[in-house]
Every structure is written in C-alpha cells, then in structure tokens.
C-alpha cells in the first residue's frame, strides 16, 4: 500500500492519494495535502468544506458528491468549483483525509 | 387484526412487489394498497427507441390498475407526505391511509429546472431529453428535420436512471444517421461527469472501444453548470464549453417530491435511506424502499427493482410476523445495451462483481459484454416479458435474484477483455 508523508508523519493512502484510514489525519496535514493537490493556501472557505466533508464521513461512512455538497454545505456548487477547480468533492475529500467519495453508478 | 401494507408508486418495483405479496399473504391477514398519482404505467426502457422512430410513446403506456392482482387495492391520488410517527400517508383530496408496513417505490423524477438555462431558450426545440415521453417524441421530430451538425448527448450529473441509456442513444444515433446516408455530416459527442464511458473498468474498456469504433467523441469529467440554448453551448462549472447544434440532455434526477416533504424519510436528493442488503430503513423498521426510489449504491434500473423484489417481499413478510429481516439483496443488475444495427450487449453484475465477459445465465446462454444479434432480440423481447411475467411477479426461468457466477470469465482488472 502506498505511503505519503504529511506534517512529518507517514500515512496510508491509495494510488490516487486518498487516505485509507481517516484516523491518521490531523488538521496540520491539510495545507500540505492541499499543495500536493494543486489547491494552494487554504482559506476559511476551504476549511468550511473540509470540516463538512469530515463530519459527513463520520456520520455516513462516505463523503458527499459535489451535488450533495452544493445542497447541504452552505457553499454553492459554483463557489465549490472556485475553491477546488479540479473537482470539489474529490479534492476536498483528499484534503480532508477521507476515502474517495463513492458516487453513484 | 388485519395488517395493511401500503405501496407508494405503481411502477415497476411497486407493481411487482404488490403482486408477489398478494400471492404470499391471505386476504384476511393483510390488505395491500398501491397509491399513485395517475393510472398510466410507462414502459420506460421503450423511450430510448422513440426518437429513432422505432417505438411510439402511446404504445408504451398501459393502465397501472390493470397490472395489479385483483386482490390489490389501487388508490389514485397525489401523495402529499408520509407521517412516519403516525404511520400515515397523506393524500390530496382523500382520507389519510394508515399503514403497518410502507414500501416506497415512487421512482426518480427529472429536475431539468435545477440546471441553469436548461429549460430556457431552445428547450423542447434543439435542447431535448428522451427521458420522458413528450421529450422523446419531440426529439423524434428534431432528429427528423436535422440537416447535419453536432449532436451532443450530455449527462448533467449522477445518479440517473439507466446509466447506459446515454451510450445507447449515441450508438443508435450513429446507426440512424448512417441509414439516412448523412453520417459524414454529423458529429456525435458524449459528455459525461464520469471519468470514462462507464464506472466499472472491464465494461468501460469494452464500451469505450465501441464508442471509438462508431466515431463518438467522449468528453469526460465534465460537470455541467449551464446549458445555453441561445448560444448553443454547454458550459461546465470549471469553465469548459462544448458547442452543439442539437443537445440531448439527461437532466438531474431526484426522488419523488413528497419524500422531501416527509421529515426523516429521504436523503438530500429525496431518495430513501435503506440498508443496501435488507432494503429496510435503519430508523423505521416498518419502512422499506425499492427501485429508483431507494438510496442504495446500485444503478437505477428496472432489473434492480426486479431482483430486489424477491428479497423485499421476504423481508416485509418477516416484519409482519414480528421477525427481523434476513433476506439479503446482492446488488444484482442486468442490462441490455442496444448498440445499433440490430445488435446489443448484455451486462450482469452486483455490488461485489463488476460486469465480466462470458455467458448469461450460465455457460450456454446470451453472450456477456459482447455485441450480438441474440442480445438485440433479447432486448426487444423483454417488453413482452415485462408486462406478462415481470410485473405479475412471476419467477423468470433461469433468472434468479442472486447474480449467477456460472458462465462468467474472471478477468483481472487491467487486462484486455477477450471475447
């Protein structure tokens, strides 16, 4: 299993860089993951989404899709794409240290 | 005392569940009531063929009531809400109906108005959907007068009913324009929010190859933000644009509106939160959901409702007897994929197993994940099976609830599909 190092600690990730054990994540890792994911510096808007992703994951066992994020996080889909241009649900999940959202088939 | 099972929705799942339950429950033990807003049961798989002149919408509709066992009551009325505490269904201009067991089977609804511009200029003219009868008929007329240019099939976002239908539309459009000897004048483009033609790797490779062979361009990971009918372009949230002359759009889907008006019943999109194996609500043990209405990680497809039906019936009977539900749904899904020129593919999969090559339902059977005439005949014959065997809730010979493993080739992820 691939390993990444954030905030000086080794964590387990999958081939796309998503945490496989959200328990290994700490808040001080988020800025480094964000740089890896091409997001740049994390502002309050980013944190609002990241915190929401973690809360949803602990409640439901999977991160929300971008459509559900737009309906429930208080941040519109348009704003979500401004914060995380390459795919809000996936990028925010990665920064939040949770597995890739399952989505629907 | 007589129990009452109330089934909300007289479509595929609701009808087959009500009919199966009626045969398993004596009349003195339980009443079975189906509620729906109208008496028009639409054979939804037929809509795909309407734009190409291969089916007519009026032939796809029959009475809902006529598909139900004589011992099932049918109430025609718009559902306002469900009171989970009082165990009561509220219906417009009608007495509320109390239930002992509730089965939510009201499917998914289209929400074109949720996408910027989609229902604006051009909607119904050069921006159309084949996911409902009026749109499908209007699209037939639009294709008929189409003189050439870019036809863009756009999936706004998942989940959608029948995730292979947009691909089938592209395959059939290729066939249609070839038959009219104008294929060279038409560009076909499939725009999808997914990272490929289909989410499952082995199947994605086969279908992507077929799209390439038919000259269909695929634009992937495209999250549709707006449809500009006047400027004839689709715009993504990340600023990409796809121009079109004719847009065939699959709008956003959500659950039936009353689900959102019933506190505790649905999730953010209006689908009902139930266990993916038992189909029972985690909070209300007397509440179940089936088919497109259920918020479970399957495709929204009639075959899922069919295969889940047997499991749901066992579990409803268990709850009526005061037992815990033990029957488990494996996520079994089975789809014919029409590929044009009187050929089709067949895929068969479940929660654990992705669509694999081989044969269905056993080593001697229909070819899986491979174009054949036999599958095309299977797809067209299915309409008869639907009305005459599936809805009445009869077991189809050789086709059980659980996904068959016999006849499937094991293909390690990443290897080429052999046929």
């Amino acid at each position: 299993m691939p390993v990444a190092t954030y905030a000086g600690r080794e964590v387990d990730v999958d081939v796309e860089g998503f945490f496989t054990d959200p328990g290994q994540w700490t808040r001080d890792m988020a800025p480094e993951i964000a740089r890896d994911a091409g997001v740049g510096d994390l502002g309050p808007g980013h944190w609002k989404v990241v915190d929401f992703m973690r809360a949803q994951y602990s409640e439901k066992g999977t991160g929300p899709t971008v459509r559900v994020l737009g309906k429930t996080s208080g941040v519109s889909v348009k704003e979500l794409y401004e914060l995380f241009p390459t795919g809000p649900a996936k990028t925010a999940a990665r920064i939040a240290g949770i597995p890739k959202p399952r989505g629907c088939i | 005392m007589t129990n009452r099972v109330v089934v909300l929705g007289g479509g595929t799942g609701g009808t087959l569940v009500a009919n199966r339950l009626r045969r398993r429950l004596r009349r003195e033990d339980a009443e079975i009531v189906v509620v729906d807003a109208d008496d028009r049961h639409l054979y939804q798989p037929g809509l795909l063929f309407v734009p190409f002149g291969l089916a007519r919408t009026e032939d796809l509709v029959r009475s809902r009531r006529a598909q139900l066992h004589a011992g099932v009551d049918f109430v025609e009325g718009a559902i306002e809400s469900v009171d989970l505490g009082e165990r009561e269904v509220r219906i417009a201009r009608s007495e509320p109906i109390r239930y002992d067991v509730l089965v939510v089977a009201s499917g998914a609804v289209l929400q074109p108005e949720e996408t910027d511009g989609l229902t604006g200029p051009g909607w119904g003219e050069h921006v159309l959907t084949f996911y409902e009868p009026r749109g499908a008929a209007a699209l037939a007329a639009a294709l008929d007068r189409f003189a050439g240019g870019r036809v863009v099939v756009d999936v706004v976002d998942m989940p959608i009913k029948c995730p292979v239908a947009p691909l089938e539309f592209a395959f059939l459009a290729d066939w249609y324009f070839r038959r009219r000897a104008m294929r060279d004048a038409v560009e076909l483009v499939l725009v999808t929010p997914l990272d490929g033609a289909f989410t499952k790797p082995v199947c994605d490779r086969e279908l992507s190859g077929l799209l390439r062979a038919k000259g269909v361009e695929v634009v992937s990971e495209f999250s549709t933000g707006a449809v500009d009918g006047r400027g004839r372009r689709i715009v993504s949230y990340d600023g990409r644009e796809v121009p079109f002359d004719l847009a065939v759009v699959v709008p956003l889907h959500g659950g039936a509106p009353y689900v959102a008006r019933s506190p505790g019943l649905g999730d953010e999109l209006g689908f009902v939160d139930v266990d993916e194996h038992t189909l029972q609500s985690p909070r209300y043990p007397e509440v179940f959901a089936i088919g497109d209405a259920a918020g479970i990680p399957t495709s929204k497809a009639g075959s899922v409702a069919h295969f889940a039906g047997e499991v749901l019936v066992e579990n409803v009977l268990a709850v009526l007897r005061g037992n815990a539900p033990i029957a488990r749904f494996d996520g079994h899904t089975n789809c014919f994929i029409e590929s044009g020129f009187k050929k089709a593919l067949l895929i068969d999969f479940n929660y654990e197993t992705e669509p694999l090559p081989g044969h269905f339902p056993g080593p001697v059977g229909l070819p899986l994940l491979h174009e054949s005439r036999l599958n095309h005949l299977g797809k067209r014959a299915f309409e008869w099976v639907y009305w005459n065997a599936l809805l009445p809730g009869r077991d189809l010979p050789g086709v059980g609830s659980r996904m068959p493993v016999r006849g499937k080739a094991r293909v390690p992820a990443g290897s080429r599909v052999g046929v």
Side-chain angles (χ1 to χ4, degrees):
Chain A
M1 194 189 288
V3 172
T5 305
Y6 295 118
R9 289 188 301 281
E10 284 200 343
V11 296
D12 299 320
V13 293
D14 69 9
V15 288
E16 292 179 273
F18 291 91
F19 276 54
T20 52
D21 176 5
Q24 294 177 338
W25 182 88
T26 52
R27 297 182 74 81
D28 55 350
M29 295 177 180
E32 286 182 33
I33 309 171
R35 268 197 297 281
D36 267 10
V39 169
D41 293 339
L42 293 181
H46 295 101
W47 275 109
K48 184 175 178 184
V49 179
V50 167
D51 287 336
F52 186 82
M53 292 296 280
R54 282 197 71 87
Q56 286 279 298
Y57 179 81
S58 66
E59 192 188 324
K60 297 185 172 163
T62 180
T65 61
V66 64
R67 193 172 156 213
V68 173
L69 264 181
K71 279 187 182 290
T72 54
S73 66
V75 182
S76 75
V77 176
K78 204 174 165 54
E79 293 167 314
L80 284 164
Y81 272 92
E82 284 160 12
L83 293 167
F84 306 97
T86 55
K90 278 197 278 188
T91 314
R94 195 174 152 199
I95 297 169
I98 62 171
K100 187 175 174 178
R102 255 200 316 227
C104 303
I105 56 163
Chain B
M1 200 180 81
T2 310
N3 283 304
R4 188 184 288 137
V5 178
V6 176
V7 179
L8 302 182
T12 310
T15 302
L16 70 90
V17 158
N19 288 337
R20 278 177 180 268
L21 276 171
R22 186 66 287 164
R23 289 207 302 274
R24 296 285 298 277
L25 285 164
R26 292 185 308 174
R27 305 259 187 131
E28 56 268 38
D29 290 336
E31 264 181 76
I32 300 170
V33 182
V34 173
V35 186
D36 207 305
D38 58 52
D39 191 26
R40 293 168 56 80
H41 185 132
L42 172 67
Y43 176 65
Q44 296 191 69
L47 289 175
L48 170 69
F49 296 100
V50 172
F52 305 103
L54 300 170
R56 295 184 314 165
T57 52
E58 56 268 37
D59 297 333
L60 303 175
V61 177
R62 297 188 186 183
S63 158
R64 295 188 193 278
R65 193 187 303 262
Q67 314 310 318
L68 294 167
H69 190 290
V72 173
D73 295 323
F74 182 69
V75 173
E76 195 175 326
I79 300 160
E80 285 181 336
S81 63
V82 176
D83 188 326
L84 292 157
E86 297 291 322
R87 296 189 187 184
E88 208 171 74
V89 179
R90 310 229 160 98
I91 297 164
R93 292 182 298 277
S94 181
E95 287 295 300
I97 304 177
R98 189 196 55 77
Y99 61 81
D100 297 287
V101 168
L102 183 75
V103 179
V104 181
S106 21
V109 298
L110 306 181
Q111 302 172 321
E113 64 292 343
E114 292 222 356
T115 299
D116 268 1
L118 180 52
T119 55
W123 178 238
E125 290 157 26
H126 55 269
V127 179
L128 295 135
T129 185
F130 64 94
Y131 267 57
E132 43 91 15
R134 279 223 330 246
L139 188 49
L143 284 177
D144 194 49
R145 62 175 184 259
F146 194 67
R150 279 169 70 85
V151 177
V152 175
V153 182
D154 176 47
V155 178
V156 175
D157 202 359
M158 307 303 280
I160 60 168
K161 292 187 268 195
C162 192
V164 296
L167 283 78
E168 296 180 282
F169 186 92
F171 294 147
L172 285 170
D174 168 70
W175 164 80
Y176 174 87
F177 289 121
R178 276 180 204 282
R179 201 189 50 170
R180 283 182 52 189
M182 58 179 287
R183 181 65 181 89
D184 290 345
V186 179
E187 285 176 67
L188 288 174
V189 185
L190 176 70
V191 177
T192 171
L194 302 174
D195 52 15
F198 200 67
T199 47
K200 313 266 176 170
V202 176
C203 191
D204 176 53
R205 278 200 298 278
E206 185 70 17
L207 295 174
S208 297
L210 210 49
L211 287 163
R212 256 196 312 278
K214 291 177 187 294
V216 179
E217 182 196 339
V218 178
V219 178
S220 58
E221 292 190 273
F222 188 98
S223 189
T224 300
V227 176
D228 172 8
R230 194 169 281 131
R232 300 206 186 210
R233 60 197 182 123
I234 299 169
V235 185
S236 72
Y237 279 113
D238 57 3
R240 286 181 286 162
E241 291 189 7
V242 174
F244 64 81
D245 294 295
L246 180 66
V248 179
V249 180
V250 182
L252 294 173
H253 286 41
Y258 74 83
V259 175
R261 293 194 296 264
S262 308
L265 187 58
D267 64 16
E268 303 83 358
L269 302 180
F271 298 113
V272 178
D273 181 27
V274 290
D275 183 272
E276 67 185 58
H277 295 295
T278 64
L279 308 169
Q280 184 188 39
S281 159
R283 278 160 297 177
Y284 302 92
E286 68 282 4
V287 174
F288 293 84
I290 188 169
D292 297 350
I296 57 176
T298 60
S299 291
K300 296 203 177 294
S303 65
V304 175
H306 171 216
F307 296 133
E310 287 178 39
V311 169
L312 186 131
V313 164
E314 293 308 321
N315 287 343
V316 167
L317 293 173
V319 166
L320 285 173
R321 290 173 189 136
N323 300 325
I326 52 167
R328 289 171 68 79
F329 179 52
D330 67 354
H332 188 190
T333 310
N334 180 290
C335 314
F336 287 104
I337 306 173
E338 188 73 12
S339 54
F341 299 95
K342 297 188 175 171
K343 289 186 179 176
L345 292 84
L346 179 65
I347 57 174
D348 192 65
F349 56 103
N350 69 11
Y351 290 137
E352 308 296 331
T353 309
E354 66 167 319
L356 294 172
H359 290 85
F360 176 86
V364 179
L366 296 172
L368 286 167
L369 207 50
H370 176 55
E371 269 192 294
S372 87
R373 273 184 196 257
L374 205 53
N375 286 333
H376 165 75
L377 295 173
K379 176 145 187 145
R380 296 317 295 257
F382 184 71
E383 186 169 352
W384 188 92
V385 175
Y386 180 84
W387 295 111
N388 295 286
L390 192 141
L391 290 182
R394 297 199 175 92
D395 293 326
L396 305 185
V399 184
S401 168
R402 301 194 78 77
M403 187 199 76
V405 180
R406 278 180 336 119
K408 285 198 172 66
R410 293 282 154 185
V411 176
S415 68
R416 210 182 144 274
V417 181
V419 288

